[in-house]
Amino acid sequence: MSEMSQAGHEIAAHGWAHRPLLTRGPRSTHDDLARARDLIGDLTGAAPQLFRPPYGVMTGATHLACGRLGLTPVLWTAWARDWRARATSDSVHDTVARDLRGGGTVLLHDSDCTSATGLWRNTLGSLPRLLDTCEQRGPSVWPLRDHGGPQPSG
């Protein structure tokens, strides 16, 4: 993770345990986010600033914990549904492309923690075509840390 951070890749928090936050109380929510934030900070030398809630579910406790921990929640406008057993590189591309809009955020998965083994390869395989689609349609691609800010020029 440190090498990824040093190479300029953005690392955000997703929580410690991939459990819906809707079923957790305020202390459990805070502890889960703090544990993830602290480990990422220890490994990279900088605490993450962004948080994507598991399953996209935010609660009052999640908002409070994010505020106390200095995390900004980020949701998505297009998702690949790349965790489904029937997902392919083509289906990942086509699903994202349907909802692709300038200024949006795309949700892709890079692990098998909640899907069948190896499905992340479909996501990886879809990236060249997704980037081509973005270039053809005009939406610029930029880091999540710039989400909601002005679009980069050029």
Side-chain angles (χ1 to χ4, degrees):
M1 189 179 297
S2 179
E3 288 177 26
M4 289 175 20
S5 178
Q6 290 171 359
H9 295 280
E10 185 166 17
I11 300 173
H14 189 43
W16 184 260
H18 198 276
R19 289 184 21 222
L21 296 171
L22 191 58
T23 63
R24 301 177 138 202
R27 172 164 280 171
S28 176
T29 298
H30 180 276
D31 292 350
D32 184 88
L33 273 61
R35 187 174 181 192
R37 182 205 60 184
D38 293 349
L39 179 61
I40 293 168
D42 289 347
L43 293 173
T44 65
Q49 297 179 350
L50 301 174
F51 168 70
R52 184 177 68 78
Y55 308 100
V57 175
M58 291 290 293
T59 64
T62 310
H63 283 286
L64 287 172
C66 284
R68 290 181 179 140
L69 296 169
L71 296 168
T72 301
V74 178
L75 296 174
W76 57 89
T77 57
W79 62 340
R81 293 180 175 87
D82 50 356
W83 67 90
R84 298 177 304 169
R86 64 182 183 271
T88 64
S89 291
D90 286 339
S91 74
V92 168
H93 169 271
D94 296 348
T95 302
V96 170
R98 273 195 298 273
D99 295 323
L100 196 58
R101 305 283 182 276
T105 300
V106 176
L107 172 63
L108 300 170
H109 293 83
D110 64 353
S111 78
D112 297 334
C113 77
T114 59
S115 64
T117 302
L119 285 182
W120 61 269
R121 288 181 178 90
N122 296 324
T123 302
L124 182 62
S126 73
L127 288 178
R129 194 164 156 224
L130 276 172
L131 292 171
D132 288 345
T133 298
C134 286
E135 187 175 324
Q136 291 167 1
R137 292 186 186 178
S140 297
V141 177
W142 66 90
L144 187 57
R145 69 181 149 263
D146 297 332
H147 178 83
Q151 293 186 17
S153 59

